[in-house]
Amino acid sequence: MFKKSGLRSINYRSVVRLLAYLLLFEAIFMLVPLGVSLYYGESDYYAFVTGILLTLLVSGFILTSVRGGLRDMGKREGYLLTSLVWVVFSVFGMVPFIVSSSPGLGFTDAFCETMSGFTTTGCSVLEDVEQLSHGIHMWRCLMQWIGGLGIMIFTLAVLPMLNSSGGMQMMNAELPGITKEKLSPRVSQTAKRLWMIYLLLTVLLAILLCLGPMSLFDGICHALSTMSTGGFSTHNDSIGAWNSWYVRLVVLIFMFIGGVNFALIYKASVGRFRISWSDETFRMYVRLIAVVTLILVIGYIVNSHPRWSVGVIVDPLFQVVSTVTSTGFSVTDYQSWGAFVFPILLGLMFVGASAGSTSGGCKLDRIIFLFKNCRNEINKCIHPNRVFSVSINGRVQSPELVSKVMAFLWLYMGLIIIGAMMLVLMGMPISDSLFASLSCVGNTGLGAGVTADSFASVPDAGKWMLSFLMLVGRLEIFTVLVLLSRGFWHK
């Protein structure tokens, strides 16, 4: 059948078996919120027991019925597996949200909430998160932490057998950015180093938060959602619930770190600080935050006339870092600062932070490519016979890479516009639809208007569409859209 239709022989057995192994990891992660529920004596521990048993049952059935190794993994298998694992993790990860009496979500809401968690988008369909149990809170934040650096990056770290079997393809398909920098000759070693940095930063943040007014539980939850730049909180007022400058400054610093390329963080950790500052994207990242914060502070003072306090500077700075890193935390009602805030946040949500970080957006690296390429085109009008190239960090980039970046940006904007149009057709206001679409494609999670407090009011069809946008945005478009092309499946 496949030969007659010209379908390429994809190694489905390896893909399915590896998905089964990954489900085992998800079941292991579910033990954490189960333990939290038992520790606090909460009755909804059975929701996690159900999720763990169902996940183990399906995983065990696949491993015993599907034979074959994991060696024959190529580029197509890497793309297929990377896209599928986020959907599969969301399907099984939503079980506790459905089974638990709080929140007791329906299928659509549970899937949207779970996809938002794993993709670190942070938009929630829950209108009152303070009614959730400790176990559900922990699972929401842990999902974001798992998805922050990447499910497949974690897999490469714990399954070194994939080092020579499609490992680089899977890393390229999932790790955000234009190019992927290997910290070690072996892909698995690079993945381990990235996850070790990620883990150590999370532990350090949890300790610092617990030294302030946060409880141990809140500190751990917010460390997980901050380092992943996810934004889920245990309180409806987010970070503003503590009204503490210490908490705001600590979270602000680590949100900033979450928006930095982890390869640069690794180099800084081994004493190579000059390389970090010499990075063109990092310098632009710092300048962007400084300039936009200054604009917000001036606008905040002119429009709101606040009494002078530390918050006049810290609150706008916090909101800028939270938005550009796609974390989505808030400490105050930024919409009350004036109408000028809305377009500025839209711009930050679109741009995002550095490639190779846990943040969303189209990435600052691509914006630098765009501006340099536009400058070259202008110069060509004056000097048509000269050859101009795009250079990043002193290295000339190939025309093919520049073309790919331009195509990505067009697709990125196209998805946002199509998503907004679909929401408008479903009855949502135009401005709110645009904000929601951009928020989900950029994995930011901020809402405006009808989605300011939660995404519960979005129609079910809209939630499925937004879930798709979250996935496409997290995997940076090509990894998912390539599956929709005929060439992927045919020779």
Side-chain angles (χ1 to χ4, degrees):
M1 175 182 174
F2 288 160
K3 289 183 179 179
K4 289 182 180 180
S5 62
L7 288 176
R8 180 185 183 276
S9 179
I10 296 176
N11 192 341
Y12 295 104
R13 291 180 179 271
S14 290
V15 173
V16 173
R17 281 183 63 84
L18 191 46
L19 279 174
Y21 280 116
L22 289 171
L23 285 177
L24 291 177
F25 291 130
E26 185 173 20
I28 293 173
F29 277 117
M30 280 192 196
L31 291 173
V32 176
L34 171 60
V36 171
S37 290
L38 292 174
Y39 175 80
Y40 284 97
E42 296 169 336
S43 60
D44 66 346
Y45 69 89
Y46 63 87
F48 297 103
V49 173
T50 303
I52 292 171
L53 292 178
L54 181 60
T55 305
L56 290 176
L57 180 64
V58 173
S59 176
F61 174 77
I62 293 175
L63 292 175
T64 54
S65 59
V66 179
R67 302 295 179 182
L70 301 177
R71 295 292 178 184
D72 302 323
M73 296 284 291
K75 183 178 293 186
R76 283 176 168 82
E77 288 81 4
Y79 280 122
L80 181 60
L81 176 64
T82 304
S83 297
L84 283 178
V85 70
W86 291 81
V87 177
V88 171
F89 260 50
S90 296
V91 169
F92 287 89
M94 72 180 182
V95 173
F97 292 104
I98 297 175
V99 177
S100 174
S101 58
S102 176
L105 299 176
F107 188 87
T108 297
D109 284 346
F111 184 84
C112 184
E113 186 79 10
T114 310
M115 180 62 76
S116 175
F118 279 120
T119 58
T120 71
T121 304
C123 65
S124 179
V125 299
L126 302 172
E127 299 182 86
D128 186 6
V129 298
E130 294 181 7
Q131 299 300 316
L132 301 177
S133 66
H134 289 80
I136 293 295
H137 273 307
M138 179 58 69
W139 182 229
R140 292 173 82 234
C141 296
L142 187 59
M143 285 191 304
Q144 293 195 322
W145 190 76
I146 296 169
L149 199 56
I151 299 171
M152 293 311 306
I153 306 300
F154 173 79
T155 305
L156 293 170
V158 298
L159 293 178
M161 68 180 72
L162 297 175
N163 190 77
S164 58
S165 180
M168 196 63 202
Q169 285 82 7
M170 286 182 275
M171 184 173 180
N172 287 337
E174 185 179 69
L175 193 64
I178 303 172
T179 58
K180 280 70 179 177
E181 184 173 356
K182 293 177 65 177
L183 304 179
S184 172
R186 296 179 64 84
V187 177
S188 60
Q189 288 298 322
T190 296
K192 286 179 181 178
R193 290 178 180 180
L194 290 174
W195 266 91
M196 183 57 65
I197 295 170
Y198 189 50
L199 175 62
L200 291 176
L201 286 172
T202 305
V203 172
L204 175 60
L205 174 56
I207 293 173
L208 290 175
L209 289 176
C210 292
L211 292 176
M214 281 193 183
S215 65
L216 176 61
F217 176 78
D218 286 332
I220 293 175
C221 285
H222 285 85
L224 295 172
S225 58
T226 299
M227 208 62 244
S228 63
T229 62
F232 277 157
S233 177
T234 56
H235 287 71
N236 294 326
D237 293 332
S238 190
I239 301 300
W242 282 271
N243 194 27
S244 166
W245 296 118
Y246 173 81
V247 170
R248 296 184 189 191
L249 289 173
V250 170
V251 171
L252 191 157
I253 291 171
F254 279 84
M255 283 194 301
F256 174 85
I257 294 174
V260 177
N261 189 326
F262 271 71
L264 291 181
I265 298 175
Y266 172 77
K267 292 174 183 178
S269 68
V270 294
R272 300 166 67 183
F273 295 100
R274 290 186 177 180
I275 293 180
S276 299
W277 181 248
S278 65
D279 184 80
E280 193 171 345
T281 303
F282 179 74
R283 294 199 307 271
M284 184 60 68
Y285 176 52
V286 175
R287 290 167 183 166
L288 175 66
I289 292 174
V291 171
V292 177
T293 299
L294 179 61
I295 295 173
L296 280 186
V297 168
I298 294 174
Y300 179 35
I301 294 174
V302 172
N303 287 276
S304 301
H305 305 290
R307 291 185 178 180
W308 173 252
S309 67
V310 179
V312 173
I313 296 177
V314 174
D315 287 352
L317 175 61
F318 187 99
Q319 195 61 55
V320 168
V321 175
S322 176
T323 305
V324 77
T325 60
S326 77
T327 308
F329 280 145
S330 60
V331 291
T332 186
D333 182 15
Y334 56 85
Q335 297 184 72
S336 64
W337 297 350
F340 76 100
V341 175
F342 189 79
I344 290 178
L345 293 186
L346 280 176
L348 291 176
M349 289 165 61
F350 180 85
V351 172
S354 307
S357 66
T358 60
S359 64
C362 68
K363 301 297 183 294
L364 192 56
D365 307 60
R366 293 189 177 95
I367 301 300
I368 295 175
F369 262 77
L370 174 63
F371 277 106
K372 290 194 172 185
N373 189 54
C374 290
R375 182 189 61 190
N376 288 346
E377 293 301 320
I378 294 173
N379 289 333
K380 283 181 183 179
C381 296
I382 305 173
H383 307 285
N385 296 323
R386 286 186 60 182
V387 177
F388 296 91
S389 60
V390 174
S391 178
I392 304 294
N393 292 325
R395 289 176 290 185
V396 176
Q397 307 300 315
S398 67
E400 292 79 11
L401 183 57
V402 176
S403 177
K404 183 179 180 180
V405 170
M406 297 303 110
F408 176 91
L409 291 173
W410 277 112
L411 285 171
Y412 193 87
M413 290 186 288
L415 282 171
I416 294 170
I417 294 172
I418 293 173
M421 291 172 61
M422 294 294 289
L423 290 176
V424 170
L425 292 175
M426 295 176 194
M428 289 181 58
I430 295 177
S431 59
D432 298 353
S433 298
L434 178 62
F435 203 93
S437 180
L438 176 55
S439 181
C440 288
V441 175
N443 302 129
T444 305
L446 289 173
V450 296
T451 60
D453 296 323
S454 79
F455 282 63
S457 60
V458 177
D460 284 354
K463 291 172 183 173
W464 284 107
M465 186 201 64
L466 291 178
S467 297
F468 176 73
L469 293 181
M470 294 177 207
L471 176 64
V472 176
R474 174 59 182 83
L475 297 181
E476 302 218 308
I477 301 178
F478 291 117
T479 300
V480 178
L481 295 190
V482 70
L483 303 182
L484 305 179
S485 67
R486 187 181 180 189
F488 180 85
W489 305 99
H490 288 66
K491 292 183 180 180

